[in-house]
Amino acid sequence: MSLTSLPPSLIATLPGDTYTDAAFFAREQQHLFERMWFCAVRADELDKPGRFRTVQVGRESVLVTRSRDGSVRAFLNICRHRGARLCTQESGEVKRNFQCPYHAWTYGLDGKLVAAPNLTSMPDIDRGTYGLISVHVREWLGHVWVCLAEEPPSFEEEVAGAVAERLGDREAIDHYGIDGLQVGRRVTYDVRANWKLIIENFMECYHCATIHPELTEVLPEFADGLAAQYYVGHGAEFSEEAKGFTVDGSEGLDRIPGVTEEQDRRYYAITVRPQVFVNLVPDHVIFHRMYPMAADRTMVECDWLYLPDVVAGGKDVERSVELFHRVNQQDFDACERTQLGMGSRGYAAGGVLVPSEHHIGEFHTWLQTRLAKEEAAG
Ligand code: FES
Ligand SMILES: [Fe+2]
């Protein structure tokens, strides 16, 4: 059947090769991940000067650290001498400096070149000019967001705006006090699927009745196929039987103090393009960061965030972690299964979106428009 003559119930998806083609992925890296605000790390991982993380942002490795004055800094993870990767570890801590293991050029935590063999015999070298290359940094929701563009887009519009748009209210997310929460559990998933499949999956709940038995038990309206993201400002209500957002509906933890009556016993979900999902429930927050690595591979770091006394007190978070861990596994299995079909001749023209998935079409329009716009801008 030709997809050009779709009945009104259906709209077309992107064609299959946009999920498999290395050249298309390279365009996304260059024009999306390297141009937009990208959520790099949780800020409290950098809890003292010299602690660092390295993350993949588009085609670049980015080094994020905390400098001596307490501010977060981010740099391209490359030595200015002959280009060696500066830090090969994913995370770690240096005392005072980053030293390149090749010829020992040494950079301060603020990125300045502080030492190099025979540097005194090269008095014409400016230590700032030959320091690490900085990238833009913002902190919000307890996370460090970086932007590799020379002129970053408006953080307010693109990041805070996306959250406000979904929740229907700019302040609604502040009630969860995400920057004051702590990581109770982190699971990193190596997903053999294109990043867009993961976003699309997260945006819809047409699959919920089929693959998420535990989730639909707690959130019965999800069995009807409409995701929280189908609406604006809508939180999916817990079932009457569910005491908490846990794998067996058992009691959760204490409600986060700022969470309102209206937000209590509800689940809200937000996608911040291009790579963040935030899930809000009264007693914890589940925060996903995607790191697209290749057309068919995405690393997903998922944090379960709880009140500090829950983490410090060693309270049992197992049943709340288990619920969304299962959801993640069920979702990523579905994404991997879908990735297998993307290269098929049967999907060359793409597939279709049913009405409860039509809002995914907006994501596709956004993607194509953004790519075209960025490419036109060079
Ligand atoms: S490449 Fe880093 S010091 Fe030479
Ligand atoms: Fe799902």
Side-chain angles (χ1 to χ4, degrees):
M1 193 196 77
S2 154
L3 293 180
T4 52
S5 57
L6 291 174
S9 298
L10 301 178
I11 57 179
T13 67
L14 296 173
D17 63 0
T18 60
Y19 299 85
T20 58
D21 183 31
F24 191 85
F25 181 70
R27 289 173 60 199
E28 294 173 331
Q29 288 182 306
Q30 185 180 351
H31 299 297
L32 302 178
F33 311 136
E34 295 171 23
R35 303 282 311 168
M36 299 181 68
W37 285 102
F38 191 100
C39 188
V41 301
R42 177 99 193 132
D44 61 10
E45 289 180 63
L46 312 171
D47 56 356
K48 57 178 179 167
R51 276 243 224 271
F52 69 87
R53 279 272 322 253
T54 57
V55 290
Q56 186 75 22
V57 181
R59 296 162 299 177
E60 300 285 358
S61 171
V62 173
L63 170 63
V64 191
T65 190
R66 194 171 293 280
S67 80
R68 271 195 194 281
D69 65 5
S71 63
V72 171
R73 303 291 306 264
F75 309 101
L76 298 183
N77 186 12
I78 173 180
C79 178
R80 296 298 305 281
H81 174 222
R82 297 250 309 281
R85 178 157 295 186
L86 194 58
C87 295
T88 51
Q89 287 166 277
E90 259 185 28
S91 64
E93 186 181 343
V94 293
K95 277 221 169 64
R96 304 184 153 274
N97 303 307
F98 292 102
Q99 187 174 64
C100 178
Y102 196 178
H103 314 88
W105 277 35
T106 305
Y107 304 90
L109 301 179
D110 59 0
K112 248 199 211 127
L113 179 65
V114 292
N118 311 327
L119 189 60
T120 45
S121 65
M122 299 174 266
D124 51 344
I125 293 185
D126 180 84
R127 294 172 182 227
T129 310
Y130 287 90
L132 299 176
I133 297 168
S134 283
V135 300
H136 297 278
V137 176
R138 281 290 296 263
E139 277 186 74
W140 194 52
L141 300 179
H143 286 76
V144 179
W145 308 68
V146 300
C147 181
L148 272 55
E150 262 172 49
E151 296 278 336
S154 158
F155 189 89
E156 279 305 308
E157 269 172 43
E158 298 221 335
V159 181
V163 173
E165 194 182 316
R166 179 57 48 222
L167 296 181
D169 169 8
R170 172 74 169 79
E171 270 75 52
I173 198 156
D174 297 340
H175 304 159
Y176 293 83
I178 298 181
D179 48 0
L181 302 181
Q182 291 181 0
V183 179
R185 182 68 54 84
R186 168 169 295 171
V187 181
T188 304
Y189 304 87
D190 184 351
V191 187
R192 300 289 165 161
N194 184 271
W195 68 282
K196 296 189 292 300
L197 291 180
I198 301 175
I199 288 211
E200 291 160 8
N201 171 81
F202 189 72
M203 289 179 77
E204 54 95 356
C205 215
Y206 192 42
H207 66 269
C208 289
T210 331
I211 71 172
H212 295 318
E214 302 87 355
L215 184 65
T216 50
E217 198 66 40
V218 179
L219 304 175
E221 68 175 72
F222 275 12
D224 299 333
L226 291 182
Q229 302 208 40
Y230 184 81
Y231 309 95
V232 172
H234 175 75
E237 201 168 2
F238 293 6
S239 77
E240 276 177 28
E241 298 77 48
K243 294 204 183 76
F245 195 71
T246 54
V247 71
D248 51 5
S250 58
E251 197 87 56
L253 298 142
D254 288 344
R255 203 209 292 188
I256 295 168
V259 169
T260 63
E261 280 304 315
E262 197 199 331
Q263 292 170 321
D264 197 15
R265 295 185 55 78
R266 285 179 183 271
Y267 162 89
Y268 296 85
I270 306 156
T271 304
V272 185
R273 294 183 297 234
Q275 42 85 247
V276 171
F277 309 136
V278 189
N279 309 270
L280 307 167
V281 287
D283 60 339
H284 64 287
V285 170
I286 305 152
F287 203 106
H288 296 77
R289 292 178 298 281
M290 294 201 291
Y291 302 91
M293 307 302 284
D296 59 356
R297 185 172 178 213
T298 309
M299 301 300 293
V300 184
E301 209 165 76
C302 182
D303 287 338
W304 282 258
L305 306 171
Y306 297 91
L307 288 168
D309 67 326
V310 171
V311 177
K315 292 203 180 133
D316 185 9
V317 296
E318 215 46 55
R319 282 167 305 178
S320 61
V321 170
E322 183 62 18
L323 174 55
F324 227 86
H325 175 55
R326 283 195 202 175
V327 169
N328 284 339
Q329 287 176 315
Q330 292 155 349
D331 280 332
F332 300 152
D333 277 355
C335 293
E336 291 186 342
R337 174 182 285 250
T338 307
Q339 184 69 31
L340 297 175
M342 294 296 101
S344 163
R345 72 189 75 179
Y347 207 77
V352 292
L353 300 169
V354 302
S356 63
E357 300 170 312
H358 279 187
H359 57 296
I360 295 175
E362 287 158 27
F363 168 60
H364 295 155
T365 307
W366 168 82
L367 180 97
Q368 287 167 311
T369 312
R370 184 90 183 209
L371 280 178
K373 192 177 117 202
E374 296 287 355
E375 282 171 341

